[in-house]
Amino acid sequence: MNDELEKLKGDKKIPAGVIIQRTLRYIKPEMAQFALTLFMVLINIALDVISPLFTSRITDELLNVDINIRFIITLAVSMFIVTLINQIVFYIESMILQKCGQRIIYRLRMEIFEHIERMSINQFVDMPVGSLVTRVASYTASMSDLFTNAIARVLRNVATIAGVYGIMFYISPSLSLVLSGVVILVFVISFYFSKMIKEIFRKERGLVSEMNGFLSENLAGMKMIQIFNQQDRKEEEFNVKNEELFRQRYNVELAFGIYRPLISLIYTLSIALSFGFGLKFGLSAGEIVAFYLYLSRFFQPIQNLADQLNQIQKAFTDSERIFNLQDVKPDVLDKEDAIEIDHFEGKIEFRNVWFAYKEDEWILKDVSFVIEPKQTCAFVGATGAGKTTILSLIVRNYEIQKGEILIDGININDIKIESLRRAVGQMLQDVFLFSGSIKSNVTLHDESFSDEEVNEACKYVNADSFIDKLPKGIHEEVIEKGENLSQGQRQLLSFARTVIHKPQILILDEATANIDTETEVLIQESLEKMKNIGTMLVVAHRLSTIQHADNIIVLQNGKVIEQGNHQQLLKNKGYYYKLYQLQFENS
């Protein structure tokens, strides 16, 4: 496991400045729109801040002996017009912000998914699927809220606080200075609250990710859990995680449960001070009413800031976890000068190849062999000998530590990965089918293939033997993982999927294992036809299935110990001969 994966499991802390800097990269393309939104926010705040002045004037006018009804109506109508314009500006601003935010998140999600796609198989082994799903779906949603709501609201509230205090100072500098002590107290409390809540949220998001990983793994393995009656143990494990998350979320609510009432108490105190000192400083009734209304507009944004602080802390924590994922560098990458190959003849050569999944735990040790174009080559050996590893190395699922692997005399490290994998068709023991139709699983949603081509490919590998009996043929629905099809049917579809994409090299890793006798006959017939397509590499435990291979490579403890065709290896009476005798006696 590389260092980046270790960091991902623990999620290293990223400084807030770095998070902001990296986040700005996504905001830059929308800067003009954000600037327009900011301008509209300022207009919105200005209109909102002057509204209490109308109320103040109306109050003073109502207390006059000679009430000017026309003046009051004019003020009321003006107040309505200002409020109407304010709401229109707010609507336009919100629409612009939502569109900007969603475009940013769209690009972010695509970038993360493309980054995950570039990772090697080895890296996926060490990453919980639930954690990846959470990062792509839930955490980006939290960042979406940051762009579309939290940032704008924070700017709005900060500007509102500044604007309201400025107006209050204009009305009565003396009373404003008295209330400044209350303002400072509120900001000190909010600062310490923000530091405390950040760490709480960081722990909480980590626990959410762990729970999602646990659920993803155990829901996928529910059949095994039930078969072995492990429900009680799994319930206990889930209960531990559930309790940890409960306690952490309780801490969040406890923090806000203390913060909000405390701010409300300070707000009530400030109202009492404004009435008491307002009369002492000789403010009119209208000015005192204005102060009361402005205090509401002053403390409401502060309380809102607490909630937005909540959202921003969540978004920062989630951004941190997203950036940790982005910092995991793919193990297998194209070289800058990698070449595109349109067609392979199919000659494969291993030159003194050494490979280990973990440092110094060698799976392959100085392996060398040559497979000629169009040959069928089988790999034989005990479990753990390195057979499947060899097949994985050919398509660069992993990188070797020493030696060279060549196809048609070209080092595979010099070939673009996409080009290499396009030329190699892989048929594995565990066939994965996607939700959709038989056709979409064969073509992998490549619309360039017609129904006739799909039917032809299915017929070529004998998959038509069951497809023709289905009501909708190749358009029959396939449920998740192909659970409505048998193992043999899924395998035949994987053959059709391979054939239709016209590879020059075929890989079969235990593709005939766990298949009933009737389906095995169909598969063997298919394999005979597929030998004509190109070079074929086969891993099979049942030696009866590879007797007609042109070349059989025998592996033991990561080394090539024998090589030749079936008859030659039997004649040598070595390890292969012993394996064959053992299987023949048990058959």
Side-chain angles (χ1 to χ4, degrees), residues 193-208:
F193 174 76
S194 112
K195 286 187 72 176
M196 176 182 66
I197 204 71
K198 180 179 179 181
E199 190 58 33
I200 292 174
F201 272 123
R202 192 174 189 279
K203 291 178 182 177
E204 187 239 5
R205 300 309 280 173
L207 291 171
V208 168

Side-chain angles (χ1 to χ4, degrees), residues 227-239:
I227 288 173
F228 288 96
N229 290 317
Q230 294 295 300
Q231 293 94 322
D232 290 344
R233 185 173 66 84
K234 290 298 177 182
E235 282 176 20
E236 288 176 10
E237 291 177 11
F238 182 77
N239 187 52

